[in-house]
């Protein structure tokens, strides 16, 4: 059983479309991170959210941390082929023990 | 600056052989993590070190796995004896050691055990 669930598991869209992916848990996290991983590489951090209800924007990406700090969403506006990759959320359980979700594999077609 | 460096990038071995994976963290980082990634189980934390001391090894699958960090610039993950179910990509990551700190991942070592 995964501590963090991500949905959808796979997503294939056309360039220019908007999308939202979700990260959910029944556990409360002190912070939550989103990473993007491309084939043959390690994950790269996109954002860290700490406060319940927090919203952060990174160009066309908008991240939100749930009020109860149990869930998060990532919204991408006008997706581009360069956004293709595996999007992973990671929750901090305490100390530096981060648990990762299974990921959402996004494919943006030109 | 160099990122986290892992070696080898790829290893193919036969069941029963010893496998040693190596990691050089980013200079100045206090924490080092070993993760394993598979399609079925995703990214799993195996063990992490703070200031070269193992803090949490509860993710290490069994006694066949061991990890060491003899100094701040080097860590190894050893599997002895290896089994086909150990086939995965093994990632090393380092961080500055703060609770909300960014994990910097290496490019991974892809292990195939035949």
């Amino acid at each position: 059983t995964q501590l963090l669930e991500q949905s959808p598991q796979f997503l294939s869209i056309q360039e220019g479309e908007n999308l939202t992916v979700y990260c959910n848990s029944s556990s409360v996290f002190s912070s939550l991170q989103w990473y993007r991983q491309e084939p043959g590489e390690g994950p790269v951090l996109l954002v860290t959210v700490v406060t319940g209800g927090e919203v952060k924007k990174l160009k066309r990406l908008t991240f939100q941390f749930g009020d109860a700090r149990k869930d998060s969403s990532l919204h991408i506006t006008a997706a581009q082929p360069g956004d293709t990759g595996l999007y992973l959320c990671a929750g901090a359980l305490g100390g530096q023990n981060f648990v990762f979700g299974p990921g959402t594999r996004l494919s943006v077609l030109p | 600056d160099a990122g986290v460096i892992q070696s080898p990038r790829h290893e193919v071995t036969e069941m029963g052989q010893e496998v040693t994976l190596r990691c050089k963290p980013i200079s100045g980082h206090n924490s080092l993590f070993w993760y394993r990634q598979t399609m079925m189980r995703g990214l799993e934390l195996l063990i992490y070190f703070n200031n070269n001391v193992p803090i949490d090894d509860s993710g290490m699958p069994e006694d066949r796995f061991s990890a060491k960090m003899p100094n701040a610039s080097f860590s190894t993950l050893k599997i002895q004896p290896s089994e086909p179910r150990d086939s995965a990509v093994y990632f090393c990551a380092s961080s500055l050691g703060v609770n909300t700190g960014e994990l910097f991942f290496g490019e991974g070592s892809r292990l195939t055990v035949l």
Side-chain angles (χ1 to χ4, degrees), chain A residues 33-106:
Chain A
Q33 298 179 331
W34 284 92
Y35 289 79
R36 181 170 68 210
Q37 183 179 18
E38 299 187 17
E41 299 182 6
V44 175
L45 181 71
L46 296 173
V47 77
T48 300
V49 286
V50 179
T51 306
E54 182 177 3
V55 176
K56 281 192 174 179
K57 292 191 175 184
L58 184 66
K59 296 183 181 178
R60 294 175 294 100
L61 279 59
T62 302
F63 305 85
Q64 183 162 8
F65 200 12
D67 291 341
R69 306 204 319 274
K70 294 182 179 180
D71 54 81
S72 181
S73 64
L74 159 59
H75 181 80
I76 302 179
T77 303
Q80 299 177 1
D83 296 327
T84 293
L86 178 67
Y87 288 81
L88 296 160
C89 64
L93 292 174
Q96 293 189 73
N97 191 349
F98 286 93
V99 59
F100 280 79
T104 292
R105 194 168 296 278
L106 172 66

Side-chain angles (χ1 to χ4, degrees), chain A residues 2 31 33 35 37 40-43 45 48 50 86 95-98 100, chain B residues 9 31 33 35 37 45 50 56 91 95 97 99-103 105-106:
Chain A
Q2 296 268 3
S31 66
Q33 298 179 331
Y35 289 79
Q37 183 179 18
E41 299 182 6
L45 181 71
T48 300
V50 179
L86 178 67
Q96 293 189 73
N97 191 349
F98 286 93
F100 280 79
Chain B
R9 289 296 312 276
S31 299
F33 305 76
Y35 284 88
Q37 187 175 40
L45 177 65
N50 261 2
D56 183 353
F91 285 101
S95 79
N99 289 350
T100 57
E102 175 177 359
L103 295 175
F105 285 82

Side-chain angles (χ1 to χ4, degrees), chain B residues 26-43:
Chain B
I26 293 172
S27 177
H29 281 191
N30 298 324
S31 299
L32 182 140
F33 305 76
W34 282 102
Y35 284 88
R36 177 173 67 178
Q37 187 175 40
T38 60
M39 287 294 291
M40 290 296 294
R41 301 174 68 89
L43 202 59

